[in-house]
Amino acid sequence: MTELDELLRRLREAAAAPRSHAITIPTRSYRSADLFSLEAEHMFRRGWVLIGREDQLAEPNTYRTIDLVGDLLIMTRDVHGAFHVFSRICPHRGAELVSGAGSRKVLVCPYHAWSFDLTGECRAAPLMRELDDFDRGRHGLRPITHEIWNGFVFVNLSGDAAPLGPRLLPLADALTDCGIDDFIVAKTVDFGVVEYDWKILLENSMECYHHLGTHAHSLGKMFPAEKSRTELGAEDYVLTVSSAADRPVDESSPMRAITGDARIATIFPNGHFTARPEGGTLLQTLPLAPGRSQVFAHVMVPRRVIESEDAAALIEARVKRMEHVLAEDWDICRKVQNASGATQRHMGRLSSYEEPLWLFYRYMARALASVEDAGRPLSWG
C-alpha cells in the first residue's frame, strides 16, 4: 500500500466516523505531493473556488489577477461596467499577459503584441491578415465559468459544476442580518507565500476551540471557545456562530471594540470569511504546493462606513486587530506544519467545538471518492 493509499484510507475513516467520535486526518496529509495533486484536480478544478470580491473592481477598465492551482486568471470590469473572469494566457503562444492589478483598456501580450480588451475580445493580431482563414474574433481570451454570490466571486475551472447559488440559500438566509451583499473591501493585506498547507489554515479558521490557547490573551477574551456553536452544516459549507463574552474586556486589548455575535462561514474548499453587521474579514488562501500557500486577508466594511468621516480611523483599527489575530494564527499553523512529518503521529480525537473539521473531511472524502485508488465510495447512511 502506498502512502497515498494509506492517506485516502484514513481520510475515509475520518469522514465515516460519527459526529460524536470525530477524528483528525493524518498530519502527513499536509505534506503529501500525491494528495495535493488530487486536491488540485478534484476540489479546486472541479469545484467552486472563491477568488475575491466583485467590488474589488469598482471602476470600468480595471483588472485583478489570481493564480489558482496552475491556472492564471484575471477578473476584469470592461468599459461598460460588465464583470468577467478569463484565463490570462494569450491564446496565440501561451504567454502570460499581465500580473497584479490595475487600470487599462487593452491588455497587450508582451510576446507578439496581440491585444485584448477587457471583454476578452482580440483587438489586434499583428501580421495575421495574410492568412486567408484567420478570424481574430475566434481568438479571444478563454472565459472562465464564474458565479457572484452576495458579492463574492467563485470560479469553476472545469466549467461543469452544478450552480452554486441554490446550494447556498440556507447560508445566505443565515447571513441576511450582516448585509454581506453591501460589503466592500476596504483594505487588503498580502501575506505573500506562507510555509504551511492550505488545509491547516482552513481548519484553524473554521473553529473557535483554538481560542483557548492560540488566542488566549486576544480573541479568546472577547469570543470564548465555549460560546461558539455550529449553526449550519451542509455538504458544501459550514457556518459557526461565536458569541461575545459576558464579561468586560480590558481597555488595553485590541479586541475591546468588538461587540455582538460573529458569523464564521466556510464554503468548501477554500472560501472563508467572518461577518457581523459592522463588517468582516475575507481570508483568501490559494494552494501553491503541499505545505506552501499564498494568503491574502481583506477587511470588509459596509458601504456606509467608507462614506463616513471617520472611515480611515475605523479601517485602520480593524486592520490592526486582524493582523494581531492572524499573527497568532500563523505561528500555530507553522507549528502544525513543522510536526506534519512525524511518523508516530496518531489521528486525534476532535472536540464538539471542532465539528466544522468533521464536515470538511466529509467534503474531502466525497470530492475524492471518484479517485480510482480511493477504494469504494463511502456510504453516508
Side-chain angles (χ1 to χ4, degrees), residues 205-271:
S205 303
M206 284 192 291
E207 49 86 2
C208 299
Y209 189 47
H210 72 289
H211 291 190
L212 289 168
T214 305
H215 303 307
H217 303 293
S218 57
L219 200 59
K221 290 183 177 295
M222 189 66 241
F223 293 104
E226 64 271 19
K227 297 202 71 172
S228 65
R229 65 188 186 277
T230 301
E231 185 85 353
L232 290 174
E235 290 189 357
D236 302 293
Y237 62 85
V238 59
L239 177 67
T240 299
V241 175
S242 181
S243 297
D246 299 323
R247 59 184 180 274
V249 177
D250 190 325
E251 281 297 312
S252 63
S253 169
M255 305 298 118
R256 65 188 181 279
I258 302 178
T259 59
D261 291 352
R263 290 170 173 80
I264 305 165
T266 305
I267 302 169
F268 305 134
N270 76 326

Side-chain angles (χ1 to χ4, degrees), residues 14 16 65 67 75 96 102 105 125 142 146 152 154 162 170 210 219 233 248 258 265 283 292 306 355 358 368-369 372:
T65 65
D67 296 349
M75 300 189 294
E96 179 183 5
K105 293 182 178 180
R142 180 171 65 88
H146 69 280
F152 296 98
F154 291 82
H210 72 289
L219 200 59
I258 302 178
L283 193 59
R292 291 185 84 230
I306 290 291
E355 182 181 347
W358 176 74
L368 302 182
E372 187 173 330

Side-chain angles (χ1 to χ4, degrees), residues 40-111:
E41 179 61 31
H42 292 268
M43 296 159 64
F44 283 87
R45 293 197 177 99
R46 299 186 186 180
W48 286 103
V49 180
L50 177 62
I51 63 167
R53 292 276 303 179
E54 182 187 17
D55 59 84
Q56 289 179 285
L57 301 181
E59 300 296 330
N61 299 320
T62 53
Y63 67 91
R64 179 175 292 271
T65 65
I66 308 97
D67 296 349
L68 180 60
V69 290
D71 281 279
L72 307 184
L73 309 181
I74 184 168
M75 300 189 294
T76 71
R77 193 173 295 281
D78 66 32
V79 66
H80 304 294
F83 183 88
H84 311 269
V85 183
F86 300 106
S87 166
R88 68 177 194 274
I89 297 175
C90 181
H92 172 223
R93 291 278 295 280
E96 179 183 5
L97 290 173
V98 68
S99 62
S103 176
R104 62 179 72 176
K105 293 182 178 180
V106 176
L107 305 174
V108 180
C109 180
Y111 200 176

